[in-house]
Amino acid sequence: MMNSSAGERREHILRAAVRDRLVEPESAVLAAFVDLDEVAASVAALHKAFPDSVDVLHTFAAKANCLVPVLEEVRKLGMGCEVASAGELAQALSAGFAPEQIVYDSPAKTRSDLRQALDLGVAVNADNFQELARIDEILAARASTTGSAPASRIGVRLNPQVGGGGIAEMSTATATSKFGIALEDDGNRQRLLDAYRERPWLTWVHAHVGSQGCPLDLIAQGIAKAVAFAEEVNSTCGRRQVTGIDIGGGLPVNFADDETTPGFDDYVAALRAHAPALFTGAYRIVTEFGRSLLAKNGFTAACVEYTKVSGGRPIAITHAGAQVATRTVFMPAAWPLRLTAHSPDGTLKQGEPVPQDIAGPCCFAGDLLAEARPLPRLAPGDIVALLDTGAYYSSTPFHYNSLPDPAVHGVRVDPDGHVHFRPLRQAETIRDVLARTGR
Ligand SMILES: Cc1ncc(COP(=O)(O)O)c(C=O)c1O
């Protein structure tokens, strides 16, 4: 297995999964796989990309794949965890992250979310001025009861307003984005400078420019504005108040082929060009990558149940649709997925490609993974693999039609090619489905 291509490795894993009955036409019509060896390689590439001279905490954005064993895995690889809800915070704690390794971002934190994070010592990035006022209240109450300052690193999320990327819905630094404090809006810069001056505990600056579709230069320009703002705080306060910059995530993923491009080193090169002050050692850095660490290291396998021809178009009805590929089904132009066709034993199907619709099981006509996709002609019992689905797919279900969430299996491959699976999530049973629907 040592020198196999990514495609050969996937086929090898899928064949082993069929042999182990993890993909099976009655009991396991849909299953997802996360290649843990490759996740380790991606995390290592991230660590290697940043110079040792800067103090960086790389956190994994739990939203990209919130399965607790996945979080545990990245923790063991030396990462922290970025969370954006009380649920994700619970997942991170359950995965064993220490509070100081966790960063809490969300535009809608409640008072109790904030209190919990500050009590634990989890880092918090305030999204807006109203949230800052709530933090003031919580800290004042805390100081009067415990007399202690919070252990949490506290920052403000800036919207550097550098514009959007290729997917509007993923672009968080547009002029009117719902995230963060809009740096260039009238009066905001001064209000922010005042806010920092009045709050000595406000020691971090946060920016996340966008996720998928944002060019590296755009992301780096946004981060550069956050760094320049940190320098401005420090010079106007006359002290090094801001000691850390949280640069978010957002490295785009190549969904077109097996190349991992751009890489983390390309991103660091862009950051060095636009924001050299980040690398002087004056600031601690936090990163929050998600998709770029997991997407290409997972795939989903779906059995073909039936095939038919309608209006002259061959259609394969599979068990993967909007419930596991929500973004692809609802926004196919923005989130196209590569698909491969396999025989029932998992081997890659040979044969002349024929344009086929690859449909899912959900009850709406648009539940298609791909339209007129050229693939070897599929037959009932075949398997379709959805590539690059390690992030934001099976872990992010859409519960329409009460379809059960599929099993997710962790995979490791020995140097001698032996494939080992371990459960990252059990498949939901119909009983589980009833439990989440009121029974
Ligand atoms: C604040 C924040 N940080 C990090 C991420 C992770 O982004 P990505 O998975 O593109 O790296 C997101 C994604 O939405 C985010 O909103």
Side-chain angles (χ1 to χ4, degrees), residues 20-307:
D20 285 8
R21 300 179 65 78
L22 302 180
V23 179
E24 202 273 329
E26 282 303 322
S27 61
V29 292
L30 179 65
F33 298 88
V34 176
D35 188 332
L36 299 172
D37 295 332
E38 295 297 315
V39 170
S42 298
V43 172
L46 170 60
H47 280 111
K48 193 161 161 285
F50 283 73
D52 289 340
S53 53
V54 286
D55 178 359
V56 190
L57 171 65
H58 293 294
T59 68
F60 173 66
K63 58 182 82 73
N65 191 321
C66 59
L67 303 182
V68 176
V70 170
L71 300 182
E72 243 165 3
E73 200 66 34
V74 297
R75 177 180 60 74
K76 288 180 188 155
L77 295 168
M79 297 202 68
C81 192
E82 187 259 359
V83 301
S85 70
E88 288 181 359
L89 176 57
Q91 288 161 337
L93 292 169
S94 163
F97 288 98
E100 63 271 18
Q101 296 175 294
I102 303 174
V103 180
Y104 197 158
D105 300 324
S106 157
K109 302 175 203 81
T110 63
R111 283 187 177 79
S112 56
D113 294 339
L114 287 167
R115 213 172 288 117
Q116 184 194 12
L118 294 168
D119 281 348
L120 284 168
V122 162
V124 171
N125 287 316
D127 179 82
N128 55 65
F129 288 114
Q130 292 173 358
E131 188 181 331
L132 264 186
R134 282 191 184 176
I135 295 175
D136 286 340
E137 287 166 21
I138 293 167
L139 294 186
R142 208 188 131 82
S144 68
T145 53
T146 68
S148 64
S152 301
R153 302 182 303 275
I154 307 178
V156 172
R157 178 167 179 172
L158 303 180
N159 171 4
Q161 293 176 298
V162 286
I167 307 176
E169 291 76 6
M170 306 306 288
S171 300
T172 48
T174 57
T176 57
S177 165
K178 75 171 184 180
F179 291 103
I181 296 180
L183 191 58
E184 305 297 352
D185 278 17
D186 254 4
N188 272 0
R189 182 179 291 270
Q190 191 53 52
R191 246 183 114 185
L192 270 167
L193 288 170
D194 293 343
Y196 274 83
R197 201 184 42 252
E198 289 157 8
R199 296 171 177 83
W201 43 263
L202 210 44
T203 53
W204 279 70
V205 165
H206 175 224
H208 168 75
V209 171
S211 296
Q212 192 63 17
C214 289
L216 294 190
D217 277 333
L218 182 78
I219 303 180
Q221 279 160 24
I223 302 309
K225 286 183 77 172
V227 176
F229 177 76
E231 304 268 83
E232 197 177 344
V233 171
N234 289 347
S235 67
T236 53
C237 291
R239 54 179 184 258
R240 285 211 71 77
Q241 178 166 329
V242 176
T243 54
I245 319 263
D246 179 339
I247 65 173
L251 185 75
V253 166
N254 164 27
F255 284 96
D257 59 37
D258 277 324
E259 292 301 312
T260 299
T261 175
F264 292 112
D265 42 0
D266 299 316
Y267 181 45
V268 169
L271 284 174
R272 278 187 185 280
H274 290 278
L278 255 192
F279 297 93
T280 57
Y283 297 100
R284 289 189 68 197
I285 300 176
V286 163
T287 73
E288 305 172 344
F289 295 104
R291 185 176 286 103
S292 49
L293 289 166
L294 259 289
K296 295 198 86 63
N297 300 326
F299 70 89
T300 306
C303 294
V304 176
E305 192 67 49
Y306 298 107
T307 56

Side-chain angles (χ1 to χ4, degrees), residues 404-416:
D405 293 341
V408 183
H409 305 282
V411 187
R412 289 191 199 280
V413 185
D414 278 354
D416 66 4

